[in-house]
Amino acid sequence: LELSRVGRLKNESTNFSFAELASEASELVQGRIMERGVAVHVDQNLPDVYGDRPRLLEVLQNLLDNAAKFMGNQKEPYIEIGRDGDEDGKPIFYIRDNGMGIPSEHFDRVFGLFNKLDPKTDGTGIGLALVKRIIEVNGGRIWVQSEVGKGSTFFFTLPTSAAVQPDSVI
């Protein structure tokens, strides 16, 4: 139901600080982060973005929660939020962890609805499908790079102004 609402029930798009959004999201998942002893670093030199702030907060919460949840037995767990260049005039943001990692054959599958790579973990398997939909509705794209045992990096683009925002939502 939540997935079907994304794109139909949209909050007003605004300009806001991505660094502040990232800090807020990490505070909201502080319980899981502290439980796992994860160090979180947010690059403060991140650009402002344009989009549906409440929905994009959900994106970051979900990505941070997953990073902490799938940390494995990492002795010095960390999550880093930063920027890695631009694509089509949009900054490329990333959330990188040093957790369990994802086998390459599952890179596309992780964004599918109800696809859980580990059925024993909590959650519904809808989180990354929701994340993908929110990013796309806000005019960006998302992808993952990962290596088993070395962690995962989720990359995504977001517009910085209404000029690079899609005109209509499908």
Side-chain angles (χ1 to χ4, degrees), residues 10 12 32 56 58 63 69 92 117 127 144 148 155 163:
K10 199 169 180 229
E12 184 178 340
R32 171 115 45 206
L56 291 169
E58 286 179 52
L63 291 172
K69 183 182 350 181
I92 301 170
L117 299 185
V144 64
V148 173
F155 294 94

Side-chain angles (χ1 to χ4, degrees), residues 57-108:
L57 181 61
E58 286 179 52
V59 164
L60 293 187
Q61 279 181 262
N62 193 302
L63 291 172
L64 287 168
D65 191 59
N66 277 357
K69 183 182 350 181
F70 297 107
M71 198 51 72
N73 295 323
Q74 180 55 250
K75 292 187 184 354
E76 293 186 30
Y78 76 85
I79 299 169
E80 178 185 354
I81 303 170
R83 178 183 179 180
D84 186 14
D86 293 275
E87 176 183 89
D88 299 328
K90 299 173 191 167
I92 301 170
F93 297 100
Y94 65 84
I95 296 184
R96 177 176 294 132
D97 67 65
N98 65 339
M100 297 167 36
I102 302 166
S104 59
E105 64 267 21
H106 297 300
F107 286 2
D108 290 332

Side-chain angles (χ1 to χ4, degrees), residues 116 118 131:
K116 291 176 65 169
D118 183 354
V131 161

Side-chain angles (χ1 to χ4, degrees), residues 16-18 21 47-53 55-57 59-60 63 83 85-94 131-143 155-161 164-166:
F16 56 90
S17 164
F18 189 83
L21 187 77
D48 287 358
V49 294
Y50 181 82
D52 182 338
R53 191 181 191 286
R55 287 291 190 185
L56 291 169
L57 181 61
V59 164
L60 293 187
L63 291 172
R83 178 183 179 180
D86 293 275
E87 176 183 89
D88 299 328
K90 299 173 191 167
I92 301 170
F93 297 100
Y94 65 84
V131 161
K132 183 175 194 271
R133 180 83 173 119
I134 292 169
I135 291 289
E136 289 173 350
V137 163
N138 279 276
R141 78 176 190 98
I142 187 168
W143 65 100
F155 294 94
F156 53 95
T157 61
L158 289 172
T160 56
S161 69
V164 286
Q165 178 82 350

